[in-house]
Amino acid sequence: ELDDMAMPELQKIVEDPVALKSYVQNRTRVDTVRELKESIEKSNVDAATANLEKQDKVNLLCDEVEGLRKQLGEKVERYQELDRERNALTQPPDVDDAIRRLTVAKKNADNESEEIGDDWVESRGSDVSDFVRKFMESRLVYHTRAAKIERLRNTMS
């Protein structure tokens, strides 16, 4: 378009800012760029408005995710605790510890049978069948524990 213009017209456009502005605004390319710019601006405004409308929902979802993350952490911690307990329960017992505990339990059974005998003697032996039943139960427990201790000691050697 500028190639077709006469030199005085070109001179006027260059020297007169109003004429230059009028000439530039009347060009179709400028209109196209302006329309494109306005379209982009409108699109940006629409996108920003949509984002603002969804911001509350996004914030709620973020809070929910944070709560779920916290619950997951607590549940993982609880799982690890239970897993440690399970491992402790499923491990074979320490033989020395088992022997110590059985020895204490055997001594308690021995003391219990002694008490049963002492009580019967102090009461002057009123019911023999009841005494024999209780005493034999207590001695059976004592000897069972003693046998288990012996068995465990034999497995160690």
Side-chain angles (χ1 to χ4, degrees), residues 50-66:
N51 286 343
L52 288 173
E53 289 172 358
K54 293 177 183 175
Q55 185 171 0
D56 289 339
K57 185 174 182 179
V58 168
N59 288 340
L60 287 174
L61 289 173
C62 285
D63 291 343
E64 183 180 345
V65 166
E66 199 56 39

Side-chain angles (χ1 to χ4, degrees), residues 1-2 6 44 58 73 106 119 124 127 130 133 137 149-150:
E1 291 176 33
L2 292 175
N44 286 347
V58 168
K106 179 182 89 166
D119 288 346
R124 298 203 165 113
D127 187 7
D130 188 44
R133 183 184 54 76
E137 285 176 7
I149 291 170
E150 186 176 336

Side-chain angles (χ1 to χ4, degrees), residues 1-131:
E1 291 176 33
L2 292 175
D3 292 339
D4 295 338
M5 293 179 87
M7 189 55 103
E9 284 180 90
L10 289 172
Q11 196 83 24
K12 181 181 177 193
I13 291 174
V14 170
E15 291 172 358
D16 185 9
V18 174
L20 177 63
K21 188 174 181 181
S22 172
Y23 176 78
V24 169
Q25 288 181 352
N26 289 330
R27 299 297 116 215
T28 57
R29 289 185 188 154
V30 172
D31 288 340
T32 304
V33 169
R34 187 178 308 120
E35 288 172 6
L36 184 59
K37 177 186 168 236
E38 289 171 0
S39 171
I40 290 172
E41 285 175 350
K42 183 180 181 320
S43 173
N44 286 347
V45 167
D46 292 344
T49 303
N51 286 343
L52 288 173
E53 289 172 358
K54 293 177 183 175
Q55 185 171 0
D56 289 339
K57 185 174 182 179
V58 168
N59 288 340
L60 287 174
L61 289 173
C62 285
D63 291 343
E64 183 180 345
V65 166
E66 199 56 39
L68 290 171
R69 189 174 287 152
K70 183 178 178 185
Q71 285 179 353
L72 175 64
E74 291 168 355
K75 290 188 187 281
V76 165
E77 190 175 308
R78 178 68 177 141
Y79 167 79
Q80 290 170 342
E81 180 182 318
L82 290 172
D83 193 44
R84 283 190 298 275
E85 286 180 27
R86 180 194 55 82
N87 282 335
L89 291 172
T90 58
Q91 293 296 319
D94 179 42
V95 175
D96 290 332
D97 185 48
I99 289 174
R100 273 191 296 281
R101 290 184 10 225
L102 277 170
T103 302
V104 169
K106 179 182 89 166
K107 182 67 177 162
N108 289 342
D110 188 41
N111 290 341
E112 183 182 329
S113 67
E114 288 294 322
E115 230 177 88
I116 291 170
D118 289 345
D119 288 346
W120 187 74
V121 169
E122 286 176 12
S123 70
R124 298 203 165 113
S126 60
D127 187 7
V128 174
S129 64
D130 188 44
F131 161 73

